[in-house]
Amino acid sequence: MNVRVKTIIIAIIDVALAAYLFCAITVFNRTDDDNQLCAAVDVQIQDDVVDGFLDNSEIVRLMKQQKIYPVSQPMSKVDVRKIENVLEKSPFIDSVECFKTIDAGVVVKLTQRMPLIRVKSNSGEDYYIDNRGGIMPNNRYAGDLVIATGDISKAYASKVLRQVGNYIVNSTLWHNQVEQLHVLPDGSIEMVPRVGDHIVYLGAPVDIPAKLERLDKFYRYGLKEAGWNKYEMINVEFSNQIICKKRHKKSRAAAPVAVAQPAPPQPAATTAEQPAAAAQKQLAPATPSAAKRGVSNTQKSEKPLKAVAGKKENKKKTS
């Protein structure tokens, strides 16, 4: 009898405790949606440390543009599912999670699509591909991205360039070294580095990690000694070898040859000047070294005597 009473009492207590907890939770979570307005929106971009297209102000602007911005709206009319659906349609957003808080707030958590490579094909198309191979329109600017040019279709970009770009971006060396990828008509790839005046031919887009590893060793042990600008083409297409093409030296332009101009004719010496010239020839220095050193004091003092001699000759002839 006592055991049955105790069991009944315990059951009543359990039921009462469950009812109390249910009421407490219900009252705690219940808000006056008809009167309470949304106070704030907390936008949380999970990967905002990476250079992307989105920031908090951009998300707020997008919600206002689509008329789903919840601030100052009654909490009863805030549709978090609608906010998620609208934001997920953006080509720059990967996933969205939206929920309400007990203090009349709305939290928006999202992850953005990360641009990987900018594609500028020969057909005139200009767009981005993300790390999953998705196509992103080029209505935002993203700096410090590898640019891919040449004969590129969207299928090639999504399947091939995505794999090459993911390897480059995830490598500290190649993320800083690779500036451009150029796709040839046969689908092979050329790479333009930031450092060094040369082009790297990767060949078919297969075994890219192995090819870049060989190039890394060549950079460290080959170009470090030979010089970064010695070769104009470095071919790493084939395994276990690297083929380099030396840069053609520019031919130096021929130096202009100075043509000796004939000296202008000197007027013939007069009869009066001939003896003075003969006297000057006799007094000229005998060796070239003497001429370089200059005129001696004796020669300087004899110049007036030449003039005097010339005057005497003139007097004789006139007499």
Side-chain angles (χ1 to χ4, degrees), residues 275-291:
Q280 183 177 2
K281 185 176 182 181
Q282 293 177 356
L283 295 175
T287 61
S289 61

Side-chain angles (χ1 to χ4, degrees), residues 210-229:
K211 294 177 180 179
L212 292 182
E213 183 179 358
R214 291 200 302 275
L215 181 61
D216 182 16
K217 293 180 180 179
F218 181 70
Y219 277 172
R220 295 177 185 273
Y221 306 110
L223 291 188
K224 184 178 179 181
E225 301 296 333
W228 286 87
N229 299 325

Side-chain angles (χ1 to χ4, degrees), residues 117-236:
I117 293 178
R118 181 177 180 181
V119 178
K120 300 187 69 174
S121 65
N122 290 343
S123 61
E125 293 180 311
D126 190 352
Y127 54 89
Y128 296 97
I129 60 172
D130 63 9
N131 52 350
R132 298 181 181 178
I135 305 298
M136 305 172 62
N138 183 20
N139 54 6
R140 298 284 191 280
Y141 172 75
D144 197 24
L145 287 182
V146 177
I147 298 178
T149 59
D151 294 281
I152 306 173
S153 64
K154 289 186 176 180
Y156 184 95
S158 298
K159 296 179 180 179
V160 178
L161 289 182
R162 174 183 63 85
Q163 297 178 356
V164 178
N166 276 323
Y167 182 81
I168 291 175
V169 169
N170 292 324
S171 170
T172 303
L173 170 63
W174 300 117
H175 182 64
N176 294 316
Q177 173 67 349
V178 179
E179 182 176 13
Q180 180 182 349
L181 298 174
H182 183 72
V183 180
L184 301 177
D186 61 353
S188 58
I189 298 177
E190 292 178 339
M191 185 180 77
V192 180
R194 297 181 188 273
V195 179
D197 187 13
H198 57 265
I199 295 176
V200 179
Y201 182 69
L202 298 176
V206 294
D207 299 329
I208 296 298
K211 294 177 180 179
L212 292 182
E213 183 179 358
R214 291 200 302 275
L215 181 61
D216 182 16
K217 293 180 180 179
F218 181 70
Y219 277 172
R220 295 177 185 273
Y221 306 110
L223 291 188
K224 184 178 179 181
E225 301 296 333
W228 286 87
N229 299 325
K230 183 176 182 179
Y231 304 106
E232 65 178 353
M233 176 69 73
I234 300 175
N235 188 335
V236 295

Side-chain angles (χ1 to χ4, degrees), residues 1-15:
M1 184 68 180
N2 293 332
V3 175
R4 183 178 295 180
V5 173
K6 289 181 180 180
T7 304
I8 295 173
I9 293 174
I10 293 174
I12 295 173
I13 293 174
D14 290 340
V15 172

